[in-house]
Amino acid sequence: MVSIKQIRPKDRLNKGSAKLKSKVEKRKLKTKIASEIEPLNKKNLITTQPETQTIKKTKYIMPSKSITGDLIEQCLIALEQLKMTSKKKNAIFDEETQIFAEINCIKIQNSKGNIKIVLPHSTCFSTNEICLVTPDLKKGKRHDHEPTIDRWEDILRNANVTAVKTILPVRQLAVEYDQYELKRRLLTQHDFIMVDTRVLSHVSHLLGKIFFKKHNMIIPVRLNENGNIKKDIDIGLRTAMLRLNLGATSTIVVGHTGMPREQIKENVISLVQQLKTKYPGGDANIRSLALKLPLSLSLPLYITLRPSSVINAPKLVHKKPKHFATVEDELSTIPDSTVKVAPDGTVHVKRPHKSKSQDTNEVEENDEQEESDNDSE
């Protein structure tokens, strides 16, 4: 048999009193802990008031200060390794390839345009196949272009200029290179095509789009027969054109793989310094700047997280010629109005603003004329 011990009423009272004591003790501990924590929280709140905190503004470093010579040299070493890995196995000769600087902007400029940048060293290949397009001595297709070639050969020989290989007058370009295949041959035979600024607009129309697709192909040069032509051509060889389209990315030639590393480094440093004043929005508008080969990865030199709200809308300023002036005069066909004619041929007509009283008077006069006509009938 199993005996079950029955609980006496006294034992029940003792257990109930023990539970009550434990609950009272827990409450006392909670109140004690809360009283100790409250002053600590108050102290922390006093020390962490927002009035004493100072908001630190983030400072973004400009590319002209962050890009150094050592960083450029490391990037050029990496480019050489990329060229060795991408080198064709069946290639007999080591071809010289161009090195580009890739620029990404934060805000896009208002219009297309070109920026002329003069570098310390020439970006032309060692072959030196340079063509010089010159104005004609006598305009018109009937006149021969041979006297123009002879005259410019004498001028370059007297100035001791040996970089230019071929001289191409505008008439010869228009007559002999009128087909697409011939223009393509002219493009492949020369590294640079330097064009006199006096005939630049006409020559660019004759050559077409294919010459603008190849980077740094057409270079404008100011030639003065009575001045220092050797200096002008030297500046033309060191000139690189930064073509800005309606996009965030643009590229410019800074050298080629056959150049010494120090010369490429000096070209890149000069480019960064000139972007401060010539690039739309300045160097603050540059998001990133990198070096790359035509078909390689871009190796970054500078990247920033500067917000676009800090930068104003960039504008590309076009230089106006000396004789760029608008003509304004009265327009005889429309009374009390003026007309403006710009050098590019655009016409703007300014008409006077009519007030409401004038409009009502004209309407009343028209009504009176109609009534008089009806009476006469």
Side-chain angles (χ1 to χ4, degrees):
M1 293 179 66
V2 180
S3 61
I4 299 169
K5 189 176 179 181
Q6 295 181 356
I7 300 169
R8 296 178 183 179
K10 289 182 180 180
D11 296 335
R12 287 178 182 175
L13 290 170
N14 292 330
K15 284 185 178 181
S17 60
K19 285 181 181 179
L20 289 169
K21 285 179 182 179
S22 61
K23 287 180 180 180
V24 171
E25 288 176 357
K26 285 180 181 179
R27 286 176 185 174
K28 287 180 180 179
L29 283 170
K30 285 180 181 180
T31 52
K32 189 177 180 181
I33 291 164
S35 62
E36 291 176 355
I37 290 170
E38 280 180 4
L40 292 172
N41 288 334
K42 287 179 181 179
K43 288 179 182 178
N44 291 331
L45 287 170
I46 292 164
T47 53
T48 59
Q49 283 184 354
E51 294 177 358
T52 57
Q53 288 181 351
T54 56
I55 299 169
K56 293 183 179 179
K57 293 182 179 179
T58 54
K59 293 182 179 179
Y60 297 98
I61 302 172
M62 299 298 173
S64 56
K65 294 183 179 179
S66 63
I67 296 175
T68 58
D70 296 334
L71 182 63
I72 296 168
E73 191 169 357
Q74 291 176 5
C75 191
L76 292 174
I77 292 168
L79 276 178
E80 288 178 2
Q81 293 177 356
L82 278 174
K83 189 193 173 186
M84 293 298 293
T85 54
S86 62
K87 184 180 176 181
K88 295 180 181 179
K89 294 181 180 179
N90 297 326
I92 301 172
F93 303 104
D94 291 334
E95 295 182 356
E96 296 175 351
T97 55
Q98 291 177 327
I99 298 173
F100 298 98
E102 189 180 64
I103 304 164
N104 289 312
C105 66
I106 298 172
K107 282 187 176 180
I108 302 171
Q109 69 280 353
N110 56 347
S111 62
K112 297 180 181 180
N114 299 328
I115 298 174
K116 186 179 178 181
I117 292 174
V118 181
L119 301 172
H121 304 282
S122 173
T123 60
C124 183
F125 294 126
S126 58
T127 53
N128 286 332
E129 294 294 335
I130 298 164
C131 176
L132 178 63
V133 181
T134 61
D136 297 320
L137 292 176
K138 294 181 180 180
K139 294 181 180 179
K141 291 185 178 181
R142 294 181 180 179
H143 300 285
D144 193 11
H145 55 266
E146 291 296 332
T148 307
I149 297 172
D150 296 337
R151 186 196 174 195
W152 278 100
E153 283 180 352
D154 295 336
I155 291 170
L156 295 177
R157 195 183 302 110
N158 295 329
N160 197 14
V161 176
T162 57
V164 178
K165 299 297 180 182
T166 56
I167 296 168
L168 188 66
V170 177
R171 182 193 175 278
Q172 186 180 1
L173 178 64
V175 173
E176 297 183 3
Y177 295 93
D178 54 345
Q179 296 180 4
Y180 180 79
E181 293 179 358
L182 298 173
K183 291 179 182 178
R184 188 78 179 174
R185 190 182 300 172
L186 179 68
L187 177 68
T188 54
Q189 286 177 352
H190 298 91
D191 298 330
F192 283 169
I193 294 179
M194 292 193 292
V195 184
D196 195 342
T197 53
R198 292 173 287 183
V199 293
L200 179 61
S201 59
H202 187 53
V203 169
S204 60
H205 177 69
L206 289 173
L207 292 175
K209 293 181 180 178
I210 56 170
F211 285 83
F212 291 95
K213 289 181 180 179
K214 191 173 180 180
H215 290 274
N216 217 32
M217 190 65 191
I218 297 177
I219 300 171
V221 183
R222 289 184 180 180
L223 295 178
N224 186 8
E225 292 88 341
N226 300 322
N228 191 354
I229 290 183
K230 187 174 183 180
K231 183 181 178 182
D232 296 337
I233 290 176
D234 181 56
I235 291 171
L237 293 174
R238 294 188 288 111
T239 300
M241 300 300 294
L242 177 62
R243 292 185 174 89
L244 298 174
N245 297 319
L246 294 178
T249 306
S250 55
T251 55
I252 184 171
V253 180
V254 292
H256 57 85
T257 53
M259 290 174 63
R261 198 180 295 166
E262 288 294 326
Q263 292 184 2
I264 302 171
K265 191 195 301 182
E266 290 175 4
N267 283 352
V268 174
I269 292 170
S270 176
L271 170 67
V272 174
Q273 294 297 327
Q274 291 183 53
L275 288 176
K276 291 171 63 177
T277 55
K278 295 183 178 181
Y279 194 74
D283 54 354
N285 192 28
I286 296 174
R287 174 70 72 192
S288 64
L289 200 148
L291 295 180
K292 67 185 293 295
L293 296 173
L295 298 175
S296 71
L297 298 172
S298 57
L299 301 176
L301 289 173
Y302 171 80
I303 296 174
T304 183
L305 298 175
R306 190 181 298 108
S308 60
S309 58
V310 181
I311 300 162
N312 298 324
K315 293 182 180 180
L316 185 63
V317 180
H318 298 280
K319 288 185 178 180
K320 296 180 180 179
K322 294 179 181 179
H323 302 289
F324 189 92
T326 56
V327 180
E328 186 175 359
D329 200 356
E330 293 181 358
L331 188 62
S332 60
T333 55
I334 302 172
D336 299 332
S337 60
T338 57
V339 62
K340 282 184 178 181
V341 181
D344 57 353
T346 55
V347 179
H348 301 281
V349 179
K350 277 189 176 182
R351 297 184 180 183
H353 295 286
K354 294 181 180 180
S355 60
K356 291 182 179 179
S357 60
Q358 290 178 352
D359 293 337
T360 53
N361 291 330
E362 287 180 358
V363 171
E364 288 175 358
E365 288 176 359
N366 292 328
D367 293 338
E368 288 176 358
Q369 287 179 359
E370 287 177 359
E371 289 177 358
S372 62
D373 293 336
N374 292 327
D375 295 336
S376 63
E377 288 176 357

